[in-house]
Amino acid sequence: MFEPYKAEGLYIAGPECFYHRGYDLWWSQRKLAEYYGIPVVLPTSTDLKLDHEDLRENAWEIFNDLIEQVKHTTAIIADLEFFRGSEPDGGTVFELGWIWAKQGRLYGYSRDLRPMHTKNQAARIQNGAVVDQNGWPHPYGDLPFCPSITASTKLIEGSFSNALRAYMLDLDEARKNQARAVGSPKRSHITAEIKSSKPVAYLAGPERYSPDAEIFYAEAKQLCSSYGYHAVTPLDDIKEFNKIDNNDPYVS
């Protein structure tokens, strides 16, 4: 069975570890991605020793584990819901930046992508302008998140499953585009190949998958010719087309 996503490494980020039954939610997200054949990395993939009296030692334990986990990632899906204030979880934002630095794919989901000056409860109108809690003009208030997140991350309004679907669609489109660039002839080449003094008809249908497809199309071509048409079929060779030996249905 073809597994299109087996070379991926998806990092799932967010403040779920601070929620009631948050780890159950994280694992359900992991299982959903793995159901589609996507390898997953979680911040909890490693058993960490977090019983240091010095909390800074615990922080280093978490940070060093993150360095190892990110080595196996090609993308991140991050929960960007506001957390302990008017911005997403700080650790999640850091993880987005880390995977951006290694040129991975970034996806962030939230139930609310309204502008920040709408969501920030400390924002207010002062002298006809929107200001923040300091009384300063609200920076980038028309964006749903700070510029570093908005510019780097594909924002999805919805849930983890919506972001996962967007990620998979992007991977599928990338594979199709790569195949198109490698194996597809230019349109002008195809046109030149089928030039004929007769009207040209393309024969489409599920018959191309029949064990007797060659016989069917040969008879169909003869029938078309008897009516003054030049028939082209899905089985006809195009000399400029590069045959691709690949079990990826999008590529082949």
Side-chain angles (χ1 to χ4, degrees):
M1 182 179 66
F2 178 65
E3 299 178 84
Y5 312 120
K6 66 179 181 180
E8 295 297 311
L10 175 62
Y11 189 92
I12 300 177
E16 278 72 17
C17 59
F18 303 111
Y19 294 170
H20 174 62
R21 296 184 62 188
Y23 284 94
D24 292 336
L25 176 57
W26 249 350
W27 279 94
S28 68
Q29 293 172 343
R30 176 177 192 156
K31 288 300 181 183
L32 179 61
E34 290 176 341
Y35 169 78
Y36 290 108
I38 302 173
V40 172
V41 174
L42 279 173
T44 56
S45 294
T46 305
D47 291 330
L48 303 180
K49 185 177 182 298
L50 301 177
D51 57 357
H52 302 284
E53 291 186 9
D54 186 345
L55 297 183
R56 289 172 294 187
E57 292 297 324
N58 291 337
W60 275 111
E61 187 90 12
I62 295 171
F63 179 72
N64 289 328
D65 179 65
L66 172 63
I67 295 174
E68 291 302 314
Q69 300 300 344
V70 168
K71 291 179 181 178
H72 308 289
T73 63
T74 59
I76 181 173
I77 294 181
D79 180 353
L80 297 180
E81 292 290 341
F82 282 3
F83 181 73
R84 295 176 179 169
S86 60
E87 285 286 350
D89 169 49
T92 300
V93 175
F94 179 83
E95 290 161 335
L96 283 169
W98 197 294
I99 294 178
W100 167 264
K102 63 171 295 186
Q103 300 182 331
R105 296 176 181 269
L106 277 62
Y107 300 84
Y109 65 92
S110 172
R111 293 168 296 176
D112 190 351
L113 294 184
R114 291 178 300 163
M116 281 190 292
H117 59 53
T118 301
K119 296 184 288 187
N120 184 358
Q121 294 182 359
R124 64 187 188 279
I125 302 293
Q126 181 174 295
N127 298 326
V130 179
V131 298
D132 63 13
Q133 56 270 30
N134 296 312
W136 304 336
H138 201 301
Y140 298 99
D142 292 327
L143 298 179
F145 299 104
C146 65
S148 58
I149 294 177
T150 305
S152 65
T153 306
K154 177 170 283 190
L155 300 177
I156 311 296
E157 189 166 44
S159 65
F160 172 83
S161 59
N162 299 125
L164 180 65
R165 174 54 58 187
Y167 169 47
M168 294 166 60
L169 287 173
D170 284 348
L171 293 175
D172 293 342
E173 288 301 312
R175 283 164 37 227
K176 288 193 289 185
N177 290 336
Q178 182 179 17
R180 187 178 298 119
V182 171
S184 297
K186 294 180 180 178
R187 183 177 297 274
S188 59
H189 288 174
I190 299 175
T191 304
E193 182 73 17
I194 62 175
K195 277 185 176 179
S196 171
S197 59
K198 301 177 181 179
V200 178
Y202 181 82
L203 308 183
E207 293 81 10
R208 66 183 299 176
Y209 304 109
S210 166
D212 301 322
E214 291 186 6
I215 298 174
F216 171 83
Y217 283 124
E219 294 176 348
K221 281 188 171 185
Q222 289 182 355
L223 180 61
C224 289
S225 181
S226 68
Y227 283 96
Y229 289 90
H230 175 84
V232 178
T233 81
L235 301 186
D236 292 351
D237 285 331
I238 299 176
K239 293 179 181 179
E240 291 84 357
F241 193 87
N242 299 319
K243 297 293 184 179
I244 299 174
D245 183 17
N246 196 304
N247 63 351
D248 184 342
Y250 279 162
V251 174
S252 58

